[in-house]
């Protein structure tokens, strides 16, 4: 693969929220241990800082619900947990992005209420309007929101790249199986590989 053009490359960071990746978050028991053990957030933060300094667009998808959850369809066990635990309420500390990956003013925050960051959001409009072609994916979980957003990115015509050490799932096995599946559709590179191909 040729070097990435920073001006046409966006880093898409999925669900780096306290509810998901902090031990005390609603979904922390599923994902926090993996995030901490593999230092996943530190790899994502390194990629974000480097890409931002080279002029790439930095995007965060963030699950945010309104009080009373009128925007929640609890048709899966994980979605049902959101209302049961009063999770992801807009304006609450637990719904915010973790400090290690705190957005800068020029970054883009996309609020979502379904599995994919594209579904029912302005993500495609923002990316297309900025002329983005390549999307570098970090986040949680590799086999859930990351994969679903990647599949939509492919359908929308983008060139996704999975940053393997900047993503994780509930288990190493689930993460690896997802990388193998996603690798049939797009490049799977670690942070070092991506930075070598990002000029500047």
């Amino acid at each position: 693969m040729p070097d990435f053009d920073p001006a046409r490359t966006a880093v898409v960071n999925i669900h780096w929220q306290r509810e998901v990746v902090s031990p005390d978050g609603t979904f922390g028991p599923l994902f926090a241990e993996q995030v901490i053990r593999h230092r996943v957030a530190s790899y994502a933060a390194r990629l974000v800082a480097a890409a931002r300094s080279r002029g790439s667009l930095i995007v965060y998808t963030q699950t945010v619900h309104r009080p009373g959850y009128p925007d929640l369809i609890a048709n899966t066990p994980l979605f049902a947990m959101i209302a049961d635990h009063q999770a992801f309420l807009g304006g609450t500390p637990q719904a915010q992005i973790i400090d290690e990956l705190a957005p800068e003013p020029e970054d883009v925050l996309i609020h979502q209420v379904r599995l994919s960051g594209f579904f029912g959001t302005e993500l495609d409009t923002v990316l297309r309007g900025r002329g983005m072609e390549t999307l570098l994916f970090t986040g949680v979980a590799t086999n859930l929101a990351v994969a679903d957003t990647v599949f939509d990115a492919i359908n929308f015509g983008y060139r996704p790249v999975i940053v393997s050490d900047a993503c994780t799932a509930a288990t190493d096995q689930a993460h690896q199986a997802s990388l193998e599946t996603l690798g049939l559709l797009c490049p799977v590179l670690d942070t070092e590989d991506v930075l070598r191909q990002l000029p500047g």
Side-chain angles (χ1 to χ4, degrees):
M1 168 179 282
D3 288 351
F4 306 125
D5 177 358
R8 294 188 174 276
T9 298
V11 182
V12 181
N13 302 288
I14 297 177
H15 285 162
W16 284 113
Q17 297 171 257
R18 294 186 176 96
E19 286 283 26
V20 179
V21 301
S22 296
D24 61 345
T26 295
F27 295 94
L30 292 174
F31 304 117
E33 190 273 336
Q34 292 290 96
V35 169
I36 294 166
R37 181 158 60 89
H38 294 298
R39 301 190 303 115
V40 183
S42 67
Y43 287 112
R46 183 176 174 216
L47 175 65
V48 164
R52 187 187 284 124
S53 72
R54 294 167 191 178
S56 295
L57 179 66
I58 308 300
V59 178
Y60 295 84
T61 70
Q62 181 181 18
T63 295
V64 175
H65 287 284
R66 297 196 294 274
Y69 297 95
D71 47 4
L72 175 66
I73 302 172
N75 60 328
T76 76
L78 289 180
F79 288 157
M81 282 178 63
I82 293 174
D84 291 344
H85 293 266
Q86 296 291 289
F88 296 115
L89 282 172
T92 61
Q94 290 294 81
Q96 300 306 305
I97 306 296
I98 60 174
D99 291 342
E100 192 168 0
L101 279 153
E104 296 290 339
E106 67 271 21
D107 299 340
V108 175
L109 269 67
I110 300 292
H111 289 174
Q112 67 182 87
V113 295
R114 302 303 290 166
L115 195 58
S116 168
F118 283 98
F119 188 90
T121 76
E122 69 273 27
L123 180 56
D124 179 56
T125 300
V126 170
L127 295 172
R128 207 167 294 279
R130 300 284 188 93
M132 296 298 109
E133 296 176 353
T134 300
L135 308 182
L136 308 175
F137 281 90
T138 84
V140 181
T142 319
N143 59 331
L144 296 170
V146 174
D148 203 41
T149 308
V150 169
F151 295 148
D152 276 350
I154 292 168
N155 290 332
F156 276 112
Y158 298 101
R159 293 196 295 265
V161 176
I162 312 302
V163 188
S164 58
D165 52 2
C167 298
T168 195
T171 66
D172 289 341
Q173 293 82 0
H175 174 63
Q176 190 57 44
S178 295
L179 293 182
E180 291 172 6
T181 298
L182 292 166
L184 299 173
L185 300 169
C186 61
V188 176
L189 305 174
D190 64 21
T191 300
E192 286 292 339
D193 289 333
V194 171
L195 293 181
R196 277 195 293 268
Q197 297 183 45
L198 194 64

